[in-house]
Amino acid sequence: MASIKFYLTRSNSKVETSIFFLLNYGAFKMVSGKKKYIPLKYYTDESIIPTFWNPKTGRAKESKKFPQYPEFNARLQDIEDTALSILRRIQNDG
């Protein structure tokens, strides 16, 4: 099962920083007899001030100072849904 997690490029920044995600889709290579998984890293067009970011959930925090957080999180969810849809299409097409 593929999974996606969003991260900040500079989590200690005082200004807006861009967001990327890692897509773990099962690809791996063997290193010293062990599987080393190879995630896909993709940079989004979204950015956020790190104080409004929850690193555990990979989404914006609920905050009165960032009232647009629901729409922001919805955009991240759309990105996630699209990436997983593309992956399924690639897997189905072989």
Side-chain angles (χ1 to χ4, degrees), residues 48-86:
I48 190 170
I49 297 172
T51 55
F52 301 134
W53 185 254
N54 183 338
K56 289 184 180 181
T57 63
R59 297 289 195 265
K61 296 178 192 176
E62 182 176 344
S63 172
K64 290 181 182 179
K65 293 182 180 180
F66 187 57
Q68 62 272 32
Y69 76 90
E71 293 85 5
F72 186 87
N73 287 339
R75 288 194 308 271
L76 292 181
Q77 188 62 50
D78 287 344
I79 292 169
E80 181 175 341
D81 293 344
T82 301
L84 291 174
S85 176
I86 292 168

Side-chain angles (χ1 to χ4, degrees), residues 3-30:
S3 65
I4 290 180
K5 177 94 190 256
F6 290 92
Y7 299 92
L8 301 180
T9 54
R10 293 182 316 269
S11 59
N12 295 327
S13 177
K14 300 294 182 201
V15 296
E16 279 192 357
T17 186
S18 59
I19 297 172
F20 68 92
F21 69 79
L22 294 178
L23 169 62
N24 291 303
Y25 57 101
F28 65 90
K29 63 181 177 179
M30 297 300 288

